[in-house]
Amino acid sequence: MNQEYMKTRKILPLVLSMSLPMVISMAVNALYNIVDSYFVAKISEDAMTALALVFPMQNLVNAIVIGFAIGINARVAFYLGAKEEKMADESASVGLLLNLIHGLVLALLCSVIMPSFLRMFTGDTQVIALACTYSTRVFAFAPVIGLGLAYEKIFQAVGRMKVSMICMMLGCVTNIILDPVMIFGLGSVPKLGIAGAAYATGIGQCVTLAGYLLFYFARPMHVKVNVANMKTTGNVMKNIYTIGIPATLNLALPSIQVSALNAILAPFPGSYILVLGVYYKLQTFIYLTANGIVQGIRPLVGYNYGAGEYDRVKKITHTSMGLIALVMVMGMAISCAIPQQLMGLFTTSRATMEIGGAALRIISFGFVVSSVSVTFSGVLEGLGKGMPSLLISLARYIVVMLPVSFVLSRLLQASGVWYGFAVTEYIVAVLSYYIYKFHMRDIKG
C-alpha cells in the first residue's frame, strides 16, 4: 500500500480519515471502562473501591506496553516517509518481540508486588482481597496486551486505521458482553464476581490480538513482521527505546498521580477516594476520544517529518488541536449538565453522588484548555521528540498538579483536589506552548 497520500491529501480530510476510526474505537474502549466499572459496582462499593485501587498499577502496565508501541509507530512511520523500507520492517519486527518480553516481565512482577502495593492505601482486608483477586487474573494477560498493542501501532503507522478500529472494537464489545455473564453467571457459566470482570477483560484482549493476526495474514500490509527481521543491530532497539521510554513514562504518570492523590485524600472520608476512582473512569471517555485524534495524527506527523514536509506538520498540528478542543467542549458540557447522574452509575449513595457531582463540575473547567498540552505532547511524540513530550506530561501530572492539589486540599479540604485539576490545566497549557515552540525550531515550514 502506497503511503504517498499522507503528504499530498488535503489536511482536514486527511486528519479526519486517520483520526475518526481511532476516535470511534477509543470511544468504545472508554465505554467498556465505564460498563466494566458499572457491573463491578453492582457487586458492592468495596468491589468498586478495589477496582479504583488496582487502576494505577493497571494503567502502569498499559503505559509500558503502549509507550513502547508508540516508539515502534513513530520509527516505522518515519522510515516509510524517508523511503527506508528495510529499517521500517526491522523496527516493526524487533519492536513486536520486545513488547512480548515486556508483557511477560510485567505479568510476573505485578503478581508479586500487588499485595504490598494495596496495603499502602487501605487496611480493609475485604477490599485488599477483592483487589488481589482481580489483579492476579487481569495481569496474567499482559503478554497478550503487549503483542496486541504492538500490532495496533504498526497497522496505524502504515495508515490502516480501520483495521485498528475493528480489532479494538471486537475486543471491547466482547468484554462488554462477557462482563455481566461472567460476573453474575448465566447458564452454564458460574457466578465469578470480580474475578469474572478480570477474565472478561483478558478474553477481550485475546480477541483483539486474534483480529490483528487475521488481518495481517489475510491482507498483508506494506511492513513485514518476521523472525528474520528480528536479527538486527542494537541501533534499531536504541531508536525505538529513545521514543518508547519517554512515551512510557508519559503514560505512566497518571498512575503515579492517582496514587499520590489517593494519599492526599486518605485523611478524608473514603467516599472521596471512590469519587476520584469514578472520575478517572468517566474522564477516559473524553480523553480516550481525544487520544484517538492524537493516534490518528501521530503517523501523519512522523511520515511528513521524514519526508521533509515541515509546513504540513504545522498544519496538521493546528487542525488536530481544533478537533481535540471540540471534543473537550462536549465533555465539559456533559459534565456540567448531568454530573450526579454520571456518578449515579457507580454508587447508590446520595452523599457520594453529591460529592462526585460537585467534583465533575469543578474539574471540567480545565477540559477545553487541556487540548493545548494534549496536542503538543502527541505531535512531539510523532516527531520522535520523546523528552519534550515527557516534560509536558511531567508538568501536567506531577510537577504542577500534585503541589497545587496538596496546597488547595489544606485550604479547601478535599474539594481542593478537584480545583487542582482545573488550575493545573491552565498553568500547563502555557508551559506546553513554550516547550513546543522551543523544540520546533528545526522545523522550517
Side-chain angles (χ1 to χ4, degrees), residues 262-273 409-410 412-417:
N262 281 340
I264 291 173
L265 290 170
F268 302 102
S271 56
Y272 284 96
I273 289 179
S409 71
R410 294 302 179 266
L412 304 172
Q413 299 298 304
S415 62
V417 172

Side-chain angles (χ1 to χ4, degrees), residues 101-119:
I101 295 171
H102 296 157
L104 290 167
V105 172
L106 287 167
L108 178 62
L109 285 177
C110 289
S111 297
V112 172
I113 68 174
M114 275 309 294
S116 298
F117 174 79
L118 293 166
R119 283 192 289 270

Side-chain angles (χ1 to χ4, degrees), residues 30-265:
L31 180 63
Y32 137 67
N33 279 321
I34 292 173
V35 171
D36 191 54
S37 299
Y38 172 80
F39 285 119
V40 170
K42 294 297 182 183
I43 301 172
S44 67
E45 282 210 355
D46 280 349
M48 188 60 204
T49 302
L51 205 65
L53 290 174
V54 173
F55 173 77
M57 190 62 70
Q58 198 172 358
N59 189 65
L60 179 61
V61 170
N62 289 333
I64 292 171
V65 291
I66 293 172
F68 186 75
I70 287 172
I72 302 171
N73 177 280
R75 296 319 298 174
V76 170
F78 176 85
Y79 286 130
L80 289 175
K83 308 299 182 186
E84 297 182 38
E85 295 181 5
K86 186 176 184 300
M87 291 297 294
D89 291 346
E90 291 182 356
S91 297
S93 301
V94 172
L96 188 75
L97 174 63
L98 290 173
N99 227 24
L100 171 61
I101 295 171
H102 296 157
L104 290 167
V105 172
L106 287 167
L108 178 62
L109 285 177
C110 289
S111 297
V112 172
I113 68 174
M114 275 309 294
S116 298
F117 174 79
L118 293 166
R119 283 192 289 270
M120 293 169 60
F121 305 101
T122 181
D124 189 320
T125 55
Q126 176 67 12
V127 171
I128 292 174
L130 287 167
C132 286
T133 297
Y134 178 81
S135 62
T136 300
R137 290 158 178 79
V138 83
F139 291 139
F141 292 93
V144 175
I145 300 173
L147 285 175
L149 285 164
Y151 271 111
E152 173 189 309
K153 299 305 179 189
I154 294 168
F155 273 102
Q156 289 175 8
V158 300
R160 293 178 64 176
M161 315 304 279
K162 290 181 181 178
V163 170
S164 187
M165 176 188 73
I166 292 169
C167 293
M168 291 176 69
M169 289 181 69
L170 282 173
C172 290
V173 170
T174 299
N175 195 340
I176 290 171
I177 293 171
L178 289 180
D179 260 333
V181 173
M182 303 193 81
I183 291 173
F184 305 113
L186 180 66
S188 60
V189 180
K191 180 180 178 180
L192 298 173
I194 198 168
Y199 287 130
T201 297
I203 293 170
Q205 290 158 348
C206 290
V207 170
T208 294
L209 176 58
Y212 283 122
L213 292 172
L214 180 63
F215 273 107
Y216 179 78
F217 289 107
R219 295 183 58 194
M221 58 181 163
H222 190 62
V223 173
K224 306 300 180 186
V225 177
N226 54 49
V227 175
N229 286 325
M230 293 176 186
K231 299 174 183 177
T232 186
T233 65
N235 196 43
V236 171
M237 289 190 287
K238 177 184 175 182
N239 288 337
I240 296 174
Y241 275 116
T242 297
I243 302 168
I245 290 176
T248 294
L249 294 172
N250 198 337
L251 292 166
L253 290 175
S255 296
I256 300 171
Q257 182 192 63
V258 174
S259 297
L261 292 179
N262 281 340
I264 291 173
L265 290 170

